[in-house]
Amino acid sequence: HLRLLESEAIYVLREVAAQFERPCLLFSGGKDSIVCAHLARKAFAPGRIPFPLLHIDTGHNFPETLAFRDKLMKRLGVRLLVRSVQDSIDAGRVQEEPDGDPSRNRLQTVTLLDALTELRIDAAVGGARRDEEKARAKERFFSHRDAFGQWNPKNQRPELWNLFNGRKHNDEHFRVFPISNWTELDIWQYIAEQEIDLPSLYFAHEREVVNRDGILLAVGAYVRPRRGETVSRERVRFRTIGDTTCTGAFRSSASDLTEIIEEVATARITERGDRADDRRSEAAMEDRKRQGYF
């Protein structure tokens, strides 16, 4: 089944290169975007990936994520474009949340849309999967976005017989999701099979955390204990990687790929179950997607 999923993803990536003039691959430093970069390398081998990778830097990333990103870009030999949420704040395009530990998760939507307009991107490839969250289950492989970068789940094209319609008006674009049909377990099995390197955050390690509303947040430059909170040192790992301010850790002893696969296979909570940004409302992800989120 991994061969079928890989072939499907490679086919979608080649369709992107064939149908669009200025595509890019959105890169977050998480396992899904790393797998997408690996698939893109295989899709166009022995040549290089024919489009740049775009990272929207919130300024609240884990240091391990940024270090891994830079190392991977050198290995792949691709062009990395970085656009900063801090620049959007300084320009008055967005405003920091009035909170002790503000999340920039929603703010990066504006930075992303500005970057797509500036770079004239007509297709942005992302690593979203349908099993992650109910809003993402509605996605097509080729997800149409209107002139404002917004997503309308009721206005998407049919994709019969793997025929993808990339036609659009000049001011519109597409988000493309080549690993839509993969599950979290598929991702980990593929990583193990292909021996793909990952940031150390995905493996069990000792870290200082605070329990905030049932979520273990890593103590660091952007997450400080509030009054009444106690810092504890736990053995944890991360199943998904985002901002330090909203990405929760899981208590875990899984320190290698075999142990992680066993853990994921028996998990009873989704990998985004400890993402604080998804808990803001019942439809938090869909609301962000309608506004132009990843």
Side-chain angles (χ1 to χ4, degrees):
H1 76 286
L2 292 180
R3 294 286 69 72
L4 292 173
L5 291 171
E6 180 188 63
S7 297
E8 179 182 65
I10 286 175
Y11 172 73
V12 172
L13 287 164
R14 289 173 176 167
E15 279 291 299
V16 169
Q19 293 197 38
F20 298 100
E21 295 181 1
R22 300 178 67 89
C24 74
L25 195 160
L26 298 175
F27 187 82
S28 67
K31 64 183 184 304
D32 296 321
S33 62
I34 291 170
V35 167
C36 282
H38 178 84
L39 289 164
R41 183 184 63 80
K42 295 189 76 171
F44 302 105
R48 292 187 176 182
I49 299 173
F51 39 75
L53 274 63
L54 173 62
H55 179 217
I56 304 301
D57 184 1
T58 63
H60 290 174
N61 297 286
F62 287 95
E64 297 92 333
T65 304
L66 297 180
F68 182 88
R69 178 201 69 184
D70 295 340
K71 183 176 71 172
L72 180 63
M73 295 306 108
K74 289 182 180 179
R75 189 164 74 242
L76 291 176
V78 297
R79 185 160 60 109
L80 174 67
L81 305 173
V82 180
R83 295 297 182 269
S84 169
V85 172
Q86 186 60 53
D87 289 343
S88 298
I89 294 173
D90 295 341
R93 294 282 293 145
V94 292
Q95 186 174 1
E96 192 93 77
E97 293 181 352
D99 191 356
D101 298 316
S103 171
R104 292 183 173 181
N105 194 273
R106 296 179 68 92
L107 306 188
Q108 64 185 327
T109 296
V110 173
T111 308
L112 171 63
L113 293 176
D114 287 349
L116 297 181
T117 300
E118 171 202 346
L119 301 168
R120 294 187 291 121
I121 299 296
D122 52 5
V125 178
R129 308 189 321 269
R130 289 174 178 146
D131 77 315
E132 287 183 280
E133 206 273 342
K134 56 190 176 184
R136 287 180 169 173
K138 302 177 183 179
E139 284 284 15
R140 301 285 201 270
F141 281 103
F142 276 34
S143 179
H144 175 261
R145 303 300 167 103
D146 65 18
F148 301 99
Q150 296 175 331
W151 174 65
N152 182 355
K154 296 181 179 180
N155 186 28
Q156 300 296 318
R157 286 87 184 274
E159 294 179 341
L160 305 175
W161 308 294
N162 285 335
L163 296 176
F164 302 120
N165 179 2
R167 294 184 179 182
K168 61 175 188 59
H169 295 295
N170 288 335
D171 51 356
E172 299 172 344
H173 73 278
F174 278 83
R175 308 289 173 86
V176 182
F177 304 107
I179 60 172
S180 289
N181 287 335
W182 298 48
T183 66
E184 183 187 9
L185 187 59
D186 293 330
I187 290 288
W188 282 111
Q189 289 175 334
Y190 187 73
I191 288 170
E193 180 195 77
Q194 299 286 309
E195 299 181 345
I196 300 173
D197 288 337
L198 292 175
S200 59
L201 295 166
Y202 281 112
F203 303 92
H205 58 283
E206 297 282 335
R207 184 178 288 267
E208 289 188 343
V209 296
V210 293
N211 190 325
R212 184 168 298 165
D213 299 324
I215 299 175
L216 296 179
L217 294 178
V219 175
Y222 306 107
V223 177
R224 308 304 304 172
R226 296 173 178 172
R227 180 178 299 178
E229 292 181 337
T230 303
V231 175
S232 61
R233 193 163 186 84
E234 304 269 3
R235 187 163 179 80
V236 299
R237 75 176 192 87
F238 295 87
R239 288 174 66 187
T240 176
I241 294 178
D243 279 4
T244 60
T245 55
C246 63
T247 304
F250 288 80
R251 292 184 179 90
S252 172
S253 60
S255 57
D256 60 38
L257 291 175
T258 300
E259 292 176 347
I260 289 175
I261 289 171
E262 291 176 356
E263 183 180 83
V264 170
T266 58
R268 291 295 176 265
I269 183 173
T270 173
E271 64 192 290
R272 295 189 68 90
D274 273 10
R275 286 291 290 264
D277 47 328
D278 288 352
R279 294 191 181 187
R280 294 195 170 193
S281 74
E282 184 66 23
M285 174 64 79
E286 180 154 341
D287 292 342
R288 294 201 304 275
K289 286 176 66 63
R290 286 178 181 272
Q291 296 166 2
Y293 184 71
F294 289 7

